[in-house]
């Protein structure tokens, strides 16, 4: 079986950490900066970073529609932190959730917590100015909560987490996308 090609949105943010993890899994990461880069990818990762900057990059490169088409076609997709925000109702509109930015308060820019994620086990969650899901539609499954707030969700082929598994070196979610959306 040939290695799966996983597109990693590489306009801004910690895309290199994702690429490293994907390589360790035997997948072939591909930096995505233009619509052409999306051709033929088997899975997609939208990394953490700064959602405002990422939105501008997506607009500049005309990437919104190509990304929507790819994800709506059922491509297994992982969004982490700002990646979760990019997938929400107010951005790409692919996840039926409202994400609140910097939701854990100004005082708590960053923290770590063990998070029990349904179907994936306990993960060390690295939260950096993290969002949470403040509201979601019926199709959305909440897989984990911190302080009563949803921090991991799944809707069909899309998995999104408010923290940074790539910074904890935790490859479980990446394996999920590489395996075609199976945990
Ligand atoms: N606070 C960032 C935003 O709102 C997300 C932070 C992150 O991805 N670590 O875009």
């Amino acid at each position: 079986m040939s290695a799966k090609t996983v597109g990693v949105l590489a306009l801004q943010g910690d895309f290199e950490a994702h690429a490293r993890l994907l390589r360790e899994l035997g997948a072939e990461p591909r930096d995505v900066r233009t619509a052409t880069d999306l051709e033929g990818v088997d899975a997609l990762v939208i990394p953490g970073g700064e959602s405002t900057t990422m939105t501008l990059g997506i607009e500049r490169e005309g990437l919104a529609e190509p990304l929507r088409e790819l994800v709506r076609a059922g491509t297994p997709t992982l969004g982490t932190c700002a990646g979760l925000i990019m997938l929400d109702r107010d951005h790409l509109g692919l996840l039926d959730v409202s994400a609140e930015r910097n939701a854990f308060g100004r005082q708590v820019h960053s923290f770590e917590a063990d998070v029990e994620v349904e179907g994936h086990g306990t993960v060390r969650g690295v939260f950096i100015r993290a969002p949470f899901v403040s509201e979601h539609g019926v199709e959305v499954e909440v897989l984990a909560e911190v302080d009563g707030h949803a921090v991991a969700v799944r809707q069909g082929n899309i998995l999104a987490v408010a923290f940074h598994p790539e910074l904890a070196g935790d490859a479980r979610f990446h394996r999920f996308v590489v395996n075609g959306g199976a945990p």
Side-chain angles (χ1 to χ4, degrees):
M1 212 175 80
S2 64
K4 296 271 181 69
T5 303
V6 182
V8 182
L9 191 64
L11 298 169
Q12 189 268 336
D14 74 332
F15 50 90
E16 279 165 7
H18 286 278
R20 263 196 302 278
L21 215 53
L22 288 162
R23 243 177 251 121
E24 278 169 28
L25 289 177
E28 210 169 281
R30 183 198 291 166
D31 287 354
V32 171
R33 295 197 172 84
T34 65
T36 328
D37 298 330
L38 290 173
E39 277 167 27
V41 302
D42 300 301
L44 177 71
V45 174
I46 306 185
E50 185 51 58
S51 54
T52 312
T53 313
M54 238 180 262
T55 302
L56 291 174
I58 286 174
E59 269 170 30
R60 189 186 62 232
E61 299 301 333
L63 268 167
E65 264 324 297
L67 283 168
R68 288 190 185 111
E69 270 172 36
L70 183 80
V71 179
R72 287 194 182 128
T75 307
T77 298
L78 171 66
T80 66
C81 203
L84 181 157
I85 298 169
M86 296 314 304
L87 290 160
D88 82 357
R89 290 169 180 155
D90 290 338
H91 295 83
L92 291 169
L94 290 162
L95 264 184
D96 191 13
V97 307
S98 294
E100 192 171 321
R101 295 180 62 195
N102 305 321
F104 287 95
R106 285 171 173 270
Q107 310 308 322
V108 207
H109 283 336
S110 308
F111 63 97
E112 291 190 20
D114 285 329
V115 184
E116 179 64 36
V117 185
E118 209 179 304
H120 298 270
T122 305
V123 302
R124 189 72 186 155
V126 178
F127 293 80
I128 304 170
R129 297 172 57 82
F132 60 58
V133 169
S134 52
E135 210 213 310
H136 64 86
V138 289
E139 312 249 291
V140 177
E141 219 184 317
V142 174
L143 303 180
E145 292 185 347
V146 166
D147 294 340
H149 302 296
V151 295
V153 293
R154 179 176 177 184
Q155 182 178 356
N157 53 308
I158 307 172
L159 180 64
V161 298
F163 45 89
H164 286 271
E166 75 288 1
L167 297 183
D170 191 324
R172 274 173 278 182
F173 302 108
H174 296 74
R175 199 171 288 124
F176 170 89
V177 295
V178 170
N179 289 346

